[in-house]
Structure formats: C-alpha cells, structure tokens
C-alpha cells in the first residue's frame, strides 16, 4: 500500500514512523514533510494547502490512503477534495453530506 501523509510537524513524523512499522505499507510519501520525516518517508515539495496538486499527486503515484495530520488543510476542506476524486483519505469533511 502507498501512503501519503499531509503535514510537516511532529504529529506527521509520528504517523510516518507508525506507518513504517506496518508490513502492509510499501511506500510512504509526506507533503511537504521535513528533514526528520525524510529519514522515514519520501518528502514531496507540495504545500499542505495545495489541495488539487496533492490530489493530482495521489492519483499519479497510486496512493492507496492519505492521512491528513495538519489542522489547516482539514479546516480548508482537503478531505472533500480527495473524496470528490474518489481517493481514500482519513480526516473530517468540511461540508456536511445529506
């Protein structure tokens, strides 16, 4: 499974370290990541607020599951953007579904 983690702080580092322990995870990407995360995952130079670019990356790199660690993209609606494209993502939606 290919995993994308959105963020660049300690929370995302902990998520990457935990994901790396799973035998189900083949490749971990982190956008934008940081030097510490770079020891565990491949850092991707895309801002956490560039939702369309991140979704494009997820499609292009066959990301099976995205985990959003940062609060700002969640508040901004990144989960909605990913779900509209049929991508599996963990996090709350911005918009209510009826």
């Amino acid at each position: 499974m290919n995993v994308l983690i959105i963020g660049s702080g300690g929370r995302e580092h902990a998520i990457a370290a935990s994901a790396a322990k799973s035998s189900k995870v083949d490749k971990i990407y982190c956008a934008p990541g940081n030097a510490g995360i770079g020891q565990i995952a491949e850092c991707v130079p895309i801002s956490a607020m560039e939702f369309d670019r991140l979704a494009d990356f997820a499609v292009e790199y066959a990301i099976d599951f995205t985990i959003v660690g940062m609060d700002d993209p969640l508040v901004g609606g990144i989960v909605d953007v990913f779900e509209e494209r049929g991508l599996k993502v963990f996090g709350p939606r911005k918009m209510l579904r009826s």
Side-chain angles (χ1 to χ4, degrees), residues 10 30 35 39 49 69 80 84 95-96:
C30 190
Q39 296 176 1
M49 298 303 290
D80 300 275
E84 286 169 5
M95 302 181 330
L96 295 175

Side-chain angles (χ1 to χ4, degrees), residues 14-30:
I15 293 167
S18 292
K21 294 177 184 177
S22 173
S23 61
K24 296 179 181 181
V25 174
D26 299 312
K27 180 78 176 179
I28 304 170
Y29 298 92
C30 190

Side-chain angles (χ1 to χ4, degrees), residues 59-80:
V59 170
E60 182 178 345
Y61 284 80
I63 300 299
D64 298 297
F65 190 62
T66 299
I67 303 167
V68 185
M70 292 180 69
D71 296 335
D72 288 346
L74 290 170
V75 171
I78 192 169
V79 170
D80 300 275

